[in-house]
Amino acid sequence: NARTQKKSAMAFEVSLEGDEENKNGKSLSTIFAERRGNIRSRREVATSSASSTSRSERGSSAPGKSKEELLAIRKQMLKGPSSLRNKTPQERGRPTETLSSQESATGVRGSSARGPSEELLSRLATGEKAKVNRKDMHKLTSKNYEMLPEIKKRKEQEQKKADLKSRQEKVKEMEKKRRAMLQANRSKK
């Protein structure tokens, strides 16, 4: 009996201050269940309103088009309006780009200024993978391997060891020459 009184006394001590529902005599489990339900309903309302706004932003034209039509639209977008190609950058609404000293000397811009090639854009538009032969794959892999920091460090250490050995050999040869000269000088005396 004493234990049950102690537990019930503890239950009365736990209360949420400022909560009107708790004052009405509801248990904590009921209050938490109601709050969880409120949170779920708010979340559902938020997600449904977000999805309806994204649908309205996308427009209703995209879902009804076939893959071929979408591909044609992408290609047209990549080509851009032909009227803009003949205009100067100021007429297009873009600021003029200054050429670097090297570009102005050669008169040729870098590949980044020209943008990606038509072949690349069409491949990306269709979703095709780049065709790379085995030889090129191996070259790229070995190049990337050589660029790894561990490999660079190991090669530097090997180079240092090789330099050290060559210096030591030179020192030995010089020492032999010096000893030979000393013996020659002693034998003359």
Side-chain angles (χ1 to χ4, degrees):
N1 234 356
R3 280 188 178 172
T4 56
Q5 287 177 354
K6 209 177 214 181
K7 284 185 180 179
S8 61
M10 291 174 97
F12 285 115
E13 289 176 15
V14 176
S15 66
L16 300 174
E17 294 181 23
D19 194 359
E20 295 173 14
E21 294 174 355
N22 195 20
K23 291 177 184 175
N24 294 336
K26 292 183 180 180
S27 68
L28 286 175
S29 61
T30 310
I31 293 169
F32 286 127
E34 288 174 0
R35 285 186 180 174
R36 194 177 314 133
N38 291 340
I39 291 171
R40 281 186 191 147
S41 62
R42 277 188 252 140
R43 202 176 284 161
E44 288 172 359
V45 169
T47 56
S48 65
S49 65
S51 64
S52 66
T53 57
S54 65
R55 282 187 212 127
S56 64
E57 289 173 1
R58 278 186 264 153
S60 61
S61 62
K65 295 191 179 188
S66 67
K67 286 185 178 183
E68 292 80 18
E69 291 171 334
L70 290 173
L71 181 60
I73 291 171
R74 283 186 192 143
K75 284 184 179 179
Q76 185 63 32
M77 288 171 58
L78 290 174
K79 287 181 183 177
S82 59
S83 61
L84 288 179
R85 289 186 182 166
N86 299 330
K87 293 183 179 180
T88 64
Q90 291 88 3
E91 292 172 340
R92 288 186 213 153
R94 295 181 185 166
T96 57
E97 298 173 359
T98 57
L99 293 175
S100 67
S101 61
Q102 185 180 18
E103 290 172 342
S104 63
T106 60
V108 178
R109 287 180 177 248
S111 62
S112 62
R114 285 182 280 159
S117 67
E118 188 68 32
E119 179 184 326
L120 172 65
L121 292 175
S122 64
R123 184 177 58 79
L124 291 174
T126 57
E128 295 176 9
K129 288 188 175 184
K131 296 172 185 167
V132 182
N133 61 19
R134 284 174 102 50
K135 202 173 198 179
D136 292 338
M137 282 186 204
H138 286 295
K139 282 182 184 177
L140 185 61
T141 302
S142 62
K143 177 184 167 188
N144 289 339
Y145 177 77
E146 298 297 325
M147 297 303 290
L148 289 172
E150 304 90 30
I151 303 306
K152 283 183 177 180
K153 194 178 283 187
R154 188 184 77 208
K155 284 192 174 190
E156 287 174 5
Q157 289 174 349
E158 288 173 357
Q159 184 65 35
K160 286 179 183 178
K161 284 181 182 179
D163 291 343
L164 180 65
K165 276 187 177 181
S166 66
R167 284 195 307 268
Q168 286 175 347
E169 288 175 4
K170 286 181 183 178
V171 167
K172 284 180 182 178
E173 287 176 17
M174 296 294 278
E175 184 65 26
K176 284 181 183 178
K177 287 181 183 179
R178 188 183 66 83
R179 285 186 184 174
M181 289 174 68
L182 284 175
Q183 285 180 353
N185 288 340
R186 285 185 191 165
S187 62
K188 285 182 183 180
K189 289 182 183 179

